[in-house]
Amino acid sequence: MYYNWEDKTNTDELKVVCNLIKNGELVIFPTETVYGIGANALDENAVGKIFIAKGRPSDNPIIVHLADKRKIEDIAQNITEVEQKLIDNFMPGPFTLILEKKDVIPDIVTAGQNTVAIRIPDNIIARGIITYAGVPVAAPSANISGKPSGTNIKDIRKELEGKVSAIVDGGPTRIGLESTVVKVVNEIPIILRPGAITPEEIDEVVGNVIIDGNVFKKVDYSAKVESPGMKYKHYSPNTKCKLIYCKDDLDQIFYLKKYVKEYKGNVVIVGFKEHEDQLLVSEGRFISVGSQYNYEEIARNIFSALRQADEIKPEIILIEGLKKEGMGLAIMNRLLRTCEYDYIEK
Ligand code: TXA
Ligand code: MG
């Protein structure tokens, strides 16, 4: 079933949706980051359906979503002072914290690890569903494994219609990139996946922060990493992609034009609106992600733009990169994986 709550949550429908979750079914719902495919986190069979719907590798654990900080201790234990500070400052919000799990969380959720990733979304619809379902909700991003995450219902329906029991539409998501994932080791917060909560913000609260070395590195499938999600192909359209970032705007245009020529125009550029008129590609082959000066706008648009580019089926998608600072860090982490590290930086 499809429910549109973009303007207002319908309370009768809310009951239906929450019953579906309680009864072990899958529901797609909005959060402030990206849409999630939710299931009752305490129900092994229900969580198993998520892995099937997404085609997700079984060693990749799933984030458990709560509506309220007071529920954290139901599923996690031995919370340290540093972890508590992070909870106090960043939840609810686009922030996921990995904590020691309690036994109520089944192994399938955590891929057998003794930790559980916890997030409290800053979104009324998400929190309403979690509250009235009355259970913690396991939810990965709403996309087929390996594809860009779903940030609006039109994209999601094309990919996942028929694979879940209900789809709740809350409009395009506010942030557009998945949450910052953090694990505290020896009292130091380690960023395993950058997101809207930046290293600077975490440092300000804790006085310390490390970005995991694998965030900008190609990780081997057999590697042992803190977060299994790091090693899988992700955020990738079917078409081959190349990422281009030059500090100097003139260089940037030069390289883009060079590749447009090399591929005889059979390209799609996913780029900044300021560059559209300079790139001389044919009609429909430039997809704007917004202004090069507005990283929040780019974050909101990037996944949908990649999907749109893919539909045109060019020989290659050329993507404009940006500075790895602020939200740029999270965007570049995703884009490097989108292009499978085929990257030019000048
Ligand atoms: O913004 C978000 O976080 C979205 C929305 C729906 O909340 N969710 C999301 O989930 O992005 P997913 O499954 O697409 O990404 C979760 C990431 C994966 O890279 C996974 O490996 C990592 O978190 N993860 C989950 N549990 C973990 C754990 N116990 N230890 C280490 N990494 C974990
Ligand atoms: Mg995902």
Side-chain angles (χ1 to χ4, degrees):
M1 277 302 291
Y2 168 79
Y3 302 105
N4 190 335
W5 300 351
E6 211 172 330
D7 296 325
K8 191 171 174 292
T9 300
N10 176 314
T11 44
D12 292 330
E13 292 170 358
L14 177 66
K15 280 183 202 148
V16 175
V17 164
C18 292
N19 275 327
L20 286 171
I21 290 184
K22 275 192 241 175
N23 293 328
E25 300 300 329
L26 302 186
V27 172
I28 290 179
F29 65 95
T31 80
E32 80 278 35
T33 57
V34 300
Y35 275 79
I37 307 181
N40 177 355
L42 306 179
D43 178 341
E44 257 177 14
N45 286 327
V47 176
K49 290 181 187 172
I50 297 179
F51 284 90
I52 294 166
K54 283 193 61 132
R56 185 179 178 97
S58 61
D59 73 344
N60 196 2
I62 298 180
I63 298 171
V64 176
H65 296 69
L66 302 173
D68 189 321
K69 288 181 204 183
R70 283 169 298 188
K71 298 278 182 191
I72 293 175
E73 57 191 38
D74 293 352
I75 61 172
Q77 58 195 352
N78 297 327
I79 295 167
T80 65
E81 211 175 299
V82 171
E83 288 165 344
Q84 192 58 49
K85 265 193 195 164
L86 294 168
I87 292 168
D88 292 343
N89 281 276
F90 300 120
M91 291 187 181
F95 182 81
T96 296
L97 187 60
I98 296 174
L99 295 170
E100 187 180 322
K101 83 173 186 90
K102 279 191 172 166
D103 286 343
V104 283
I105 297 295
D107 280 344
I108 187 167
V109 173
T110 65
Q113 306 192 62
N114 66 348
T115 54
V116 58
I118 298 181
R119 179 161 118 74
I120 303 176
D122 183 17
N123 175 289
I124 288 187
I125 296 178
R127 292 230 297 280
I129 291 174
I130 301 162
T131 303
Y132 291 104
V135 290
V137 173
S141 51
N143 53 273
I144 295 291
S145 205
K147 297 284 155 238
S149 300
T151 53
N152 67 73
I153 289 297
K154 194 164 149 259
D155 290 348
I156 290 170
R157 285 184 107 167
K158 278 189 203 157
E159 201 165 283
L160 293 166
E161 185 100 77
K163 297 195 171 203
V164 299
S165 297
I167 295 181
V168 175
D169 193 345
T173 55
R174 177 164 60 82
I175 294 174
L177 290 185
E178 310 84 346
S179 60
T180 306
V181 176
V182 169
K183 183 175 185 178
V184 178
V185 179
N186 298 328
E187 295 180 24
I188 302 173
I190 301 178
I191 297 182
L192 302 180
R193 180 176 73 184
I197 301 294
T198 61
E200 292 79 10
E201 287 173 275
I202 294 170
D203 192 30
E204 207 163 291
V205 165
V206 178
N208 223 333
V209 69
I210 292 176
I211 301 171
D212 190 285
N214 292 322
V215 163
F216 289 110
K217 211 168 77 193
K218 191 168 187 170
V219 181
D220 194 77
Y221 280 94
S222 59
K224 169 132 184 39
V225 288
E226 283 289 355
S227 186
M230 288 172 157
K231 48 182 192 179
Y232 291 107
K233 183 172 173 195
H234 208 343
Y235 319 114
S236 300
N238 296 320
T239 310
K240 178 168 83 141
C241 298
K242 190 187 267 299
L243 179 61
I244 297 162
Y245 170 65
C246 304
K247 278 185 218 77
D248 186 292
D249 235 35
L250 291 175
D251 285 344
Q252 178 78 356
I253 301 293
F254 170 84
Y255 274 101
L256 286 164
K257 280 187 170 164
K258 172 175 166 283
Y259 286 113
V260 171
K261 205 166 157 199
E262 197 173 310
Y263 284 90
K264 300 188 177 67
N266 190 10
V267 305
V268 170
I269 297 175
V270 170
F272 308 131
K273 70 173 187 208
E274 290 87 356
H275 293 163
E276 177 159 14
D277 293 342
Q278 301 172 56
L279 290 169
L280 310 171
V281 284
S282 46
E283 184 79 29
R285 288 188 173 258
F286 182 92
I287 296 170
S288 170
V289 288
S291 167
Q292 63 179 315
Y293 306 109
N294 186 342
Y295 288 12
E296 275 66 32
E297 183 184 20
I298 296 166
R300 263 197 307 279
N301 294 331
I302 189 71
F303 287 144
S304 195
L306 290 171
R307 287 171 184 281
Q308 240 177 293
D310 206 21
E311 280 179 4
I312 300 168
K313 297 193 167 64
E315 199 177 335
I316 193 165
I317 300 172
L318 304 172
I319 310 169
E320 293 205 63
L322 29 86
K323 233 192 211 151
K324 293 187 195 124
E325 63 178 30
M327 216 30 190
L329 190 76
I331 298 169
M332 285 299 275
N333 161 262
R334 308 308 191 270
L335 290 180
L336 278 163
R337 302 184 59 187
T338 296
C339 71
E340 298 184 82
Y341 299 85
D342 183 357
Y343 175 41
I344 288 178
E345 184 170 17
K346 278 270 174 322

